[in-house]
Amino acid sequence: MLVNAKQMLEKAAAEGYAVAQININNLEWTKAVLTMAQEQSSPVILGVTGGAAKYMVSFSTVAAMVKEMFKSLGITVPVALHLDHGTDTQCYACIEAGFTSIMFDGSHYPFAENLAKTKEFVELARAKGMSIEAEVGAIGGEEDGVVGAGDVADPEECRQIAELGVDFLAAGIGNIHGVYPEGWIGLDFDVLGKIRDVSGGIPLVLHGGTGIPAEMIQKAISLGVAKINVNTECQLSFAAATRKYIEEGKDKTGKGFDPRKLLAPGYEAIRQTVKEKFELFGSVGKA
Ligand code: 13P
């Protein structure tokens, strides 16, 4: 059975590692993440953006696919199905669809509105036994059409959001969705430390996990980060492996055009990226 993410993240925070949220985009992605989590005996969170859900038809299509795949593959490690950067409507749709976790992202609203709306979703999630993530201070860059200014979070606002009873908190600390630009100044650990001190010990979330150097990941974990989101890195490794297959003309020999062959190198590349993330975040063997 899929689980909500609260317990797995509290365990990670207590034991000093982070659980990866790997965003899924299609059937191959989902199977790649689930099989590698099982092989590495690692907990994992499957992240789904509104854009990815639309691509896969609907949130309920995704939930049905994930639940069936989880069962048919005989997965026994803890897996949560989580809405990434949800709007009001998307949160309602995921609650209806049987997701086990939601993120309400009210970071683009004036703070008072973010606080009021987050409170509403905390109560709803609680009533449904789902876990809930909130966001303060926008993550920079673009995530499936959600564009953030990259504001560093105000620790006082984090304290107020944490007090609502959210299970884990995403705070902008200079992190960016997508590939980090040349000359990126890095994560603001000063602010991260302050946020940790005022948010009552709840697990913190680091978005924009693609390309963050290992030493920054370790430091973030030591300061209370227990969930790290990765999306772009799997897309890049999938694209590179698929490009190589085609450039080597493998789609033109034998039945190399068969999607089960054409997508196989990309599928394996996603698996390897996921494995590297589990190792880097310290979640191997923590299921
Ligand atoms: P990246 O695409 O930069 O890995 O970020 C993923 C993310 O934060 C999903 O919410």
Side-chain angles (χ1 to χ4, degrees), residues 4-45:
N4 88 24
K6 183 177 162 67
Q7 256 188 355
M8 69 166 91
L9 294 184
E10 283 176 353
K11 179 176 185 287
E15 295 180 19
Y17 62 93
V19 176
Q21 172 189 308
I22 308 287
N23 282 50
I24 54 171
N25 292 286
N26 61 14
L27 182 144
E28 281 74 16
W29 243 263
T30 312
K31 186 174 157 192
V33 180
L34 287 177
T35 54
M36 190 47 81
Q38 185 70 22
E39 278 172 39
Q40 295 300 309
S41 194
S42 171
V44 75
I45 297 168

Side-chain angles (χ1 to χ4, degrees), residues 21 23 84-85 143 176-178 207-210 229-233:
Q21 172 189 308
N23 282 50
D84 190 24
H85 293 288
E143 172 79 17
I176 298 171
H177 289 128
H207 282 246
T210 293
N229 294 7
V230 176
N231 187 4
T232 306
E233 207 160 324

Side-chain angles (χ1 to χ4, degrees), residues 87-89 91-92 95 102 104 109 112-128 130 132-134 161 164-166:
T87 61
D88 307 41
T89 324
C91 284
Y92 291 126
I95 292 169
I102 51 172
F104 170 67
Y109 291 113
E113 210 171 336
N114 186 7
L115 192 69
K117 283 177 179 285
T118 300
K119 182 168 190 287
E120 194 184 309
F121 283 108
V122 167
E123 284 158 14
L124 253 177
R126 203 51 88 250
K128 299 278 180 188
M130 302 167 82
I132 177 156
E133 173 178 349
I161 291 271
L164 297 175
V166 299

